[in-house]
Amino acid sequence: AAPAPAVAPPPAASGGTGGQPGRIQAAPVRSGQQVYADNRDLTVLTSVGAGAEVIADGSVHIYGPLRGRALAGAQGNEQARIFCREFHAELVAIAGHYRVLEDIPAELRGKAVQVWLEDQQLRIAALD
């Protein structure tokens, strides 16, 4: 699956966000912290530490290591995706479908990946 079309439209263009821009998290998300983007995408410019949680009703974009948990489509949006530059997630979930670290193929760890839902199955693939 080509990741480019899923990245191209900004959240405001989808019509479902009411023109609300995505939430930007510039500081690292540390263990025990939770960051939630209500009715929009979440972009984390740095890292998501082990024991930290990032949640969005839209998609989640992480431009650093993901060591904690990332949940996209929190209100049931099955079109939501998770993109991250360095994948070490404890758990990833889209619209309630989840995978834990033990169920993630070892060859994807540390890679840039995208996570999406296809036919009610969570898919994870390298971006390169």
Side-chain angles (χ1 to χ4, degrees), residues 48-126:
V48 177
E53 198 167 62
V54 290
I55 305 168
D57 292 341
S59 294
V60 175
H61 308 264
I62 302 164
Y63 290 100
L66 166 60
R67 293 193 171 87
R69 296 178 294 281
L71 297 85
Q75 298 294 328
N77 178 358
E78 295 186 354
Q79 303 307 308
R81 291 183 181 227
I82 298 168
F83 298 91
C84 88
R85 196 168 267 170
E86 196 181 313
F87 190 67
H88 304 281
E90 296 169 347
L91 178 144
V92 287
I94 295 180
H97 299 263
Y98 69 92
R99 281 232 195 126
V100 294
L101 179 63
E102 293 76 29
D103 298 334
I104 295 166
E107 64 269 14
L108 293 175
R109 293 190 192 146
K111 295 272 199 317
V113 302
Q114 73 166 317
V115 183
W116 73 102
L117 202 56
E118 187 177 291
D119 300 325
Q120 302 298 304
Q121 294 288 318
L122 204 64
R123 307 279 186 210
I124 305 172

Side-chain angles (χ1 to χ4, degrees), residues 10-33:
S14 71
T17 63
Q20 190 165 206
R23 177 173 177 177
I24 306 288
Q25 172 71 24
V29 185
R30 302 194 190 287
S31 180
Q33 285 185 307

